[in-house]
């Protein structure tokens, strides 16, 4: 008769390591499923529709810009036809007046702003009959 090797019965330590491995695999699967569900929800979030031609965008650094906002609700919305308000002081009278300036005259001549959505504090529609909309229209006609 040949010698047969009989495996020793599983010990308590082996049973515990198998149970731990099963728990670890189940945990990894659950975490992967949660990440996938979050990613699908984030991608399908889509952008918010704007109902006016121009929007006012206030950033967390206090800067305010006016323009055509695309992709609101996405991680990096884009602001096109960008304007901002600049205060100018008359040296003689010391009176301060505000003017609307179109971005693009800077040295790097930007044609748009790609914003980090986490930096946007608020977005408001610019009413087509507002003074800002009138100034934008005048600037475009020059």
């Amino acid at each position: 008769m040949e010698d047969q090797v009989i495996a020793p019965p599983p010990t308590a330590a082996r049973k515990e390591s198998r149970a731990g491995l099963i728990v670890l695999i189940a945990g990894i699967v659950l975490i992967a499923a949660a990440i996938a569900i979050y990613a699908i929800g984030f991608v399908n979030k889509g952008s918010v529709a704007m109902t006016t031609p121009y929007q006012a965008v206030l950033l967390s650094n206090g800067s305010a810009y006016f323009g055509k906002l695309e992709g609101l609700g996405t991680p990096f919305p884009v602001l096109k036809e960008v304007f901002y308000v600049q205060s100018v002081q008359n040296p003689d009278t010391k009176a301060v007046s505000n003017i609307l300036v179109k971005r693009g005259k800077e040295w790097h001549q930007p044609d748009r702003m790609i914003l980090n959505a986490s930096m946007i504090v608020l977005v408001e529609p610019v009413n087509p009959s507002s003074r800002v909309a009138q100034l934008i229209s005048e600037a475009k006609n020059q």
Side-chain angles (χ1 to χ4, degrees):
M1 198 177 197
E2 291 184 25
D3 290 335
Q4 291 183 348
V5 177
I6 301 174
T11 63
R14 282 189 187 162
K15 287 181 183 178
E16 286 177 15
S17 78
R18 283 185 190 159
L21 182 62
I22 291 171
V23 168
L24 178 65
I25 291 172
I28 291 171
V29 168
L30 286 173
I31 290 171
I35 290 171
I37 290 169
Y38 175 77
I40 290 169
F42 190 71
V43 168
N44 290 336
K45 199 176 201 180
S47 63
V48 177
M50 294 286 116
T51 58
T52 59
Y54 293 94
Q55 292 75 44
V57 179
L58 178 64
L59 301 178
S60 60
N61 66 2
S63 299
Y65 295 96
F66 303 93
K68 293 185 175 190
L69 187 62
E70 299 174 357
L72 182 62
T74 64
F76 296 98
V78 177
L79 190 63
K80 295 182 177 180
E81 296 184 38
V82 183
F83 293 85
Y84 59 95
V85 176
Q86 187 174 41
S87 297
V88 180
Q89 184 177 29
N90 183 325
D92 299 329
T93 65
K94 305 293 183 200
V96 177
S97 61
N98 294 320
I99 59 171
L100 194 66
V101 179
K102 180 160 181 17
R103 281 209 62 184
K105 306 290 186 205
E106 297 82 5
W107 287 5
H108 63 294
Q109 299 178 336
D111 64 344
R112 66 187 171 275
M113 290 178 71
I114 301 170
L115 305 169
N116 184 335
S118 67
M119 303 303 287
I120 296 175
V121 175
L122 65 85
V123 175
E124 292 181 330
V126 173
N127 190 307
S129 64
S130 71
R131 181 70 178 136
V132 170
Q134 291 168 1
L135 291 171
I136 290 173
S137 179
E138 290 171 12
K140 286 176 66 173
N141 291 333
Q142 291 178 353

